[in-house]
Amino acid sequence: MKKLAATLALSLLLAACGQQATSPAADDWAAQYAAHPSDPWMSTRLSALSLTPGVNTLYYETPTSATNGWGPIEVNRSNGGRAANDGHPLTVGGKVYAKGYGVHANSELRYDLTGTGAICTKFTVTVGVDDEVGNNGSVLFILETDNGDRLADSGILHGYDGAKTLSVSLIGRKTLTLRAFYAGDNTYYDHADWLNPQITCISSGTPDLSFSGDGRVELSGLDHFHQVLPVAGGKILALTSDREQGYLHQYLANGQPDLSFGKQGTTVLASGELAPRQMALTRDGKVVVHGLLKVDSQTYTNFLARYFLDGRVDTSFGTGGRVLQQPVTAGQIQLTDEFAPVVQANGKVIMPQHEYTGTTYPDLQQYLTLVRYQANGALDPSFGQGGHLIYPGDPDDAVHTPVFQQRDGGLLVEHHPTPTAATRLDRLTADGQPDLTFGTAGGVEVQVVPNQEASSADAIAEQPDGRLLVSGVARDVDGNVSCYMARYTARGQLDASFGSGGVTLLKVCGDPPTEAFRMHVQKDGRIVAAFSDHLIRVQANGQLDPTFGSGGTVQIDPYLSDLALQEDGKLLVTDDIVTRLPEAGYLYRLLP
């Protein structure tokens, strides 16, 4: 602010300001400026906002910091003079406004939008020079966000210009700053009003409208999603199929097809690969696809295929880019087509298989077999017996990922020693050797409800500190079914700091029986899991997160088929088509 001596004559003061007093009120302000040309004010409260879904009036919220050029910032009144509460009703262009801030250039109000309990999407405010200075004053109103990025400005407004409304998007923003600057001459008469400042917020877990315009991508025809994976550059790789063929699609971050991938964003999988199910990325920028391949009208087998991330087949893998399991027919060993491949750091691929002999229960003998292939697609004889590691018992067809790879390369294997037993989690080294330091004799039984009769561990996730999260379904001896999330220490003990004694029971089990099939840990420590037609998010302590959806739950109609977590925390969700007419597959992106 330009410094002037207190004894400067009023006429000289007005000449220096470049503005002329046009009312007694303006004369009064001139006298005050002559006596006190500068009176800066500052407040640092360092408190977070408490915004809720809907329209929030910002004046109710406390800024993390605030500065003002002449006296304190006033709430619901003009700046007035140098004292607190000496302003007048907020008035611009002859219109009185009930709510807002009265400030004086140069001024700043800064707000922290993180941790508010809601996702902020839009900020709207009306700005202008208050009528209390007549036609005087010249102010530039600026809206800024993270790292000083300018969202909008008003242009220079004078006392005779009236009010102007600014509206900006806050999606993905962490801070909001309201600045009122003098317009290059000096700050005299720069009484600036922020009128009806409002932030619109939505609940976490709602559609991200920046994604394809309405928060979702729809597949054409009978095509539907099996799995999605975030890839470099914010792009999304999707594995899909219709009733005749399998496909890889790639989308840009905004949900539009990536035309640089395959042919106009789509690669048709090789002939016969009609039922792809799961995929996994390699560290050198490729994707391994697993699914069911039709050999002839009576014969099917599993396949593994490897593709580059531009959609081309990687012919250095197997034969022409593909590895086939031995073809089978009814009554012989049957191979599942639902499990996800595991790609190790050295490029080797572990493929879980569900095999059985016999045709009817109780003569049915079931096995979970882990098969490891070298990076070129050949069987790896160093793993198990000739590349095979066999676990007797029911591997549970509902589980998408019976083998979970930890950050250190260790492998967690989910299996059932008997069809009705509790799930057992065994830990193996990267080479398939039992890790006897984990749990009891290298494994733990998942016991999560009193008088438990059976359980499943359908999804596994790992926290950065090595603690393990498990979600699934448990049944007691009376037939009561509970969905759960549990946390174990890195050594396989239930973590009592999570939920109740290490377990959180969830009220999402329904009819037909609910399945858990995917779980992710967000950067802030919250955990999101997919259960059939629900997404559930809990806080790091296992308690439901009330800021997510409705009380911690988001329902997806009719049935979830996959859940993925983007680097920016947004959630990718796909749904199944079998219960919807007309059939359609959807990929949704939800705000974190």
Side-chain angles (χ1 to χ4, degrees):
M1 178 179 290
K2 183 180 291 184
K3 304 290 186 179
L4 295 178
T7 58
L8 188 63
L10 179 59
S11 59
L12 294 177
L13 172 63
L14 294 178
C17 290
Q19 301 166 332
Q20 298 211 354
T22 57
S23 68
D27 290 337
D28 291 342
W29 294 125
Q32 293 192 46
Y33 284 126
H36 300 281
S38 176
D39 191 11
W41 175 89
M42 179 186 302
S43 175
T44 303
R45 300 178 185 271
L46 300 177
S47 61
L49 302 186
S50 57
L51 304 176
T52 58
V55 177
N56 298 263
T57 301
L58 192 61
Y59 89 92
Y60 285 120
E61 305 298 335
T62 303
T64 57
S65 64
T67 60
N68 203 43
W70 207 56
I73 291 174
E74 302 283 5
V75 179
N76 297 338
R77 65 182 66 206
S78 65
N79 185 87
R82 297 165 45 243
N85 302 315
D86 63 352
H88 306 90
L90 294 164
T91 309
V92 176
K95 180 179 179 180
V96 177
Y97 295 81
K99 308 297 182 183
Y101 290 112
V103 304
H104 194 294
N106 290 324
S107 173
E108 176 184 294
L109 288 158
R110 182 180 176 86
Y111 297 89
D112 182 357
L113 302 179
T114 62
T116 64
I119 303 296
C120 301
T121 59
K122 185 173 70 172
F123 176 66
T124 303
V125 65
T126 298
V127 297
V129 177
D130 197 273
D131 285 2
E132 69 184 2
V133 296
N135 290 335
N136 301 292
S138 55
V139 179
L140 176 65
F141 295 84
I142 299 174
L143 301 179
E144 291 183 355
T145 185
D146 317 334
N147 301 317
D149 293 341
R150 182 174 295 194
L151 296 176
D153 67 62
S154 63
I156 297 175
L157 296 180
H158 304 86
Y160 51 78
D161 285 326
K164 184 174 183 178
T165 298
L166 303 177
S167 182
V168 296
S169 171
L170 295 179
I171 294 176
R173 304 298 186 175
K174 297 179 180 179
T175 63
L176 175 65
T177 302
L178 282 57
R179 299 185 188 275
F181 281 127
Y182 75 99
D185 44 11
N186 54 56
T187 58
Y188 296 149
Y189 306 107
D190 291 344
H191 294 217
D193 291 347
W194 298 97
L195 308 165
N196 293 335
Q198 294 183 333
I199 292 183
T200 300
C201 301
I202 58 177
S203 298
S204 176
T206 54
D208 175 8
L209 300 183
S210 69
F211 186 66
S212 196
D214 60 359
R216 71 180 188 181
V217 168
E218 180 178 355
L219 290 174
S220 60
L222 301 178
D223 202 4
H224 61 284
F225 290 98
H226 294 291
Q227 188 182 4
V228 289
L229 290 174
V231 293
K235 297 180 180 181
I236 301 162
L237 186 65
L239 183 64
T240 74
S241 70
D242 55 24
R243 294 179 179 178
E244 297 181 353
Q245 190 61 58
Y247 306 92
L248 283 170
H249 303 276
Q250 189 155 285
Y251 300 94
L252 301 173
N254 63 4
Q256 298 302 309
D258 178 6
L259 301 183
S260 69
F261 180 85
K263 185 176 181 180
Q264 301 296 300
T266 298
T267 287
V268 179
L269 299 187
S271 176
E273 297 176 1
L274 57 84
R277 289 295 184 255
Q278 298 283 303
M279 59 181 173
L281 297 174
T282 68
R283 294 195 176 187
D284 59 353
K286 301 172 185 177
V287 60
V288 176
V289 177
H290 169 242
L292 188 67
L293 182 136
K294 183 177 182 180
V295 178
D296 55 44
S297 61
Q298 298 294 321
T299 309
Y300 296 84
T301 188
N302 278 5
F303 73 87
L304 284 174
R306 195 165 67 195
Y307 292 82
F308 293 100
L309 288 184
D310 61 5
R312 293 178 296 120
V313 176
D314 178 8
T315 56
S316 69
F317 183 74
T319 302
R322 186 165 64 189
V323 172
L324 301 182
Q325 317 287 312
Q326 181 180 353
V328 296
T329 55
Q332 298 178 351
I333 295 176
Q334 177 69 48
L335 309 178
T336 186
D337 62 0
E338 292 293 337
F339 293 158
V342 174
V343 179
Q344 297 183 289
N346 56 11
K348 295 183 178 182
V349 180
I350 296 176
M351 188 60 241
Q353 299 172 189
H354 179 188
E355 304 181 358
Y356 65 81
T357 59
T359 58
T360 59
Y361 186 83
D363 297 328
L364 206 62
Q365 299 296 315
Q366 303 187 74
Y367 305 90
L368 172 64
T369 301
L370 309 185
V371 184
R372 189 163 78 176
Y373 298 90
Q374 300 179 66
N376 64 1
L379 274 175
D380 180 5
S382 68
F383 186 79
Q385 296 182 357
H388 299 80
L389 190 61
I390 299 175
Y391 278 84
D394 178 11
D396 191 348
D397 284 333
V399 180
H400 287 253
T401 311
V403 179
F404 177 81
Q405 182 173 216
Q406 296 182 259
R407 289 181 176 85
D408 64 0
L411 304 170
L412 289 174
V413 181
E414 186 268 6
H415 68 109
H416 293 252
T418 65
T420 60
T423 285
R424 181 174 172 87
L425 291 177
D426 288 339
R427 190 176 193 273
L428 308 178
T429 66
D431 288 327
Q433 301 300 313
D435 178 4
L436 299 182
T437 67
F438 182 77
T440 302
V444 296
E445 284 193 356
V446 179
Q447 297 282 347
V448 293
V449 297
N451 301 315
Q452 180 175 296
E453 181 182 58
S455 66
S456 68
D458 302 332
I460 303 172
E462 183 181 14
Q463 295 186 171
D465 61 5
R467 286 184 288 183
L468 300 169
L469 295 151
V470 179
S471 61
V473 179
R475 183 180 67 248
D476 65 22
V477 294
D478 296 321
N480 300 309
V481 177
S482 300
C483 296
Y484 74 90
M485 295 175 67
R487 188 163 69 193
Y488 292 84
T489 67
R491 295 268 58 91
Q493 306 299 319
L494 274 174
D495 179 3
S497 67
F498 184 84
S500 177
V503 179
T504 294
L505 298 182
L506 306 166
K507 297 179 180 180
V508 294
C509 285
D511 186 21
T514 302
E515 300 169 6
F517 58 85
R518 202 78 78 185
M519 182 164 46
H520 295 282
V521 181
Q522 297 181 301
K523 290 182 179 180
D524 59 7
R526 290 181 288 188
I527 304 134
V528 60
F531 284 85
S532 293
D533 60 351
H534 286 80
L535 294 178
I536 304 293
R537 191 165 76 186
V538 301
Q539 301 173 71
N541 62 3
Q543 302 302 311
L544 280 172
D545 178 5
T547 71
F548 185 72
S550 177
T553 302
V554 171
Q555 185 167 4
I556 303 293
D557 178 49
Y559 196 85
L560 284 160
S561 58
D562 196 30
L563 166 68
L565 180 66
Q566 291 191 158
E567 180 65 23
D568 60 5
K570 294 179 181 179
L571 302 172
L572 299 173
V573 180
T574 61
D575 71 359
D576 209 325
I577 65 169
V578 294
T579 60
R580 182 194 291 119
L581 293 175
E583 294 182 353
Y586 292 109
L587 163 62
Y588 303 90
R589 188 164 72 191
L590 307 182
L591 296 171

